[in-house]
Amino acid sequence: MICMDLEEYKLISEDLKRRKIPPIVKRVVSIILDKKGEKTMVLKLKEVSDITDFMVICNGNSSRQNKAISDEVQRQLKKEYRRKAFSVEGENHTDWILLDYIDFVIHIFSPENREKYSLEKLWMDGKRYRFYRD
């Protein structure tokens, strides 16, 4: 388990503000960081894929944490942007939750499933924005 200290959180939050990604995607990353999601990454797939423009990938450390991240993202995006997910998959199993907002998708994994499916490797051609330190 990787715990982010306050100083690291501030650095990552400042980095997030400077990135050229849509405000709603930045907000998703911010919500994930607030819920202690780990290894948060945004892939820009606009020129690479017809499926979506951006993909947000993170993992939690438990089913409960994954569900909390998913619930909070959905709640905040509905409240702040009046956006509801077009599709939600995996909320009953919580090892891999997919929130599809059409122009961006969010994958919330267990650490094991994140490693198993390696979406970052599958989408190697996409521009990467990492919001964590190794």
Side-chain angles (χ1 to χ4, degrees):
M1 183 165 123
I2 302 167
C3 289
M4 188 182 311
D5 63 23
L6 185 58
E7 188 62 33
E8 184 177 356
Y9 179 84
K10 287 179 183 177
L11 288 171
I12 289 172
S13 293
E14 286 301 315
D15 183 44
L16 176 60
K17 290 176 187 173
R18 289 190 298 270
R19 298 299 182 153
K20 292 183 179 179
I21 54 180
I24 194 169
V25 176
K26 287 182 180 184
R27 183 65 181 122
V28 168
V29 171
S30 179
I31 294 165
I32 291 169
L33 294 174
D34 288 346
K35 286 292 181 183
K36 310 283 191 263
E38 297 183 353
K39 294 188 176 180
T40 305
M41 176 180 286
V42 175
L43 301 176
K44 182 179 179 184
L45 303 175
K46 208 172 220 175
E47 293 84 25
V48 179
S49 170
D50 293 334
I51 297 170
T52 191
D53 294 341
F54 291 89
M55 185 179 293
V56 181
I57 304 169
C58 73
N59 62 268
N61 285 300
S62 67
S63 295
R64 177 179 275 169
Q65 184 183 18
N66 288 353
K67 180 80 167 96
I69 292 168
S70 172
D71 289 348
E72 189 65 11
V73 166
Q74 290 179 74
R75 189 176 74 73
Q76 291 294 335
L77 294 188
K78 187 175 182 182
K79 177 182 169 187
E80 297 172 23
Y81 293 90
R82 294 181 172 25
R83 293 279 306 264
K84 187 176 179 189
F86 177 74
S87 173
V88 178
E89 302 288 332
E91 279 193 314
N92 294 333
H93 302 287
T94 65
D95 285 339
W96 180 0
I97 300 173
L98 168 67
L99 306 174
D100 185 349
Y101 285 87
I102 308 297
D103 49 336
F104 63 95
V105 295
I106 304 158
H107 296 274
I108 306 164
F109 285 103
S110 66
E112 299 80 22
N113 275 349
R114 183 167 185 178
E115 188 174 325
K116 178 180 177 181
Y117 293 104
S118 297
L119 293 184
E120 298 93 331
K121 291 179 185 171
L122 183 64
W123 296 100
M124 289 293 290
D125 294 339
K127 182 169 174 72
R128 296 161 182 262
Y129 302 95
R130 288 179 32 178
F131 299 100
Y132 64 92
R133 290 186 178 174
D134 286 327

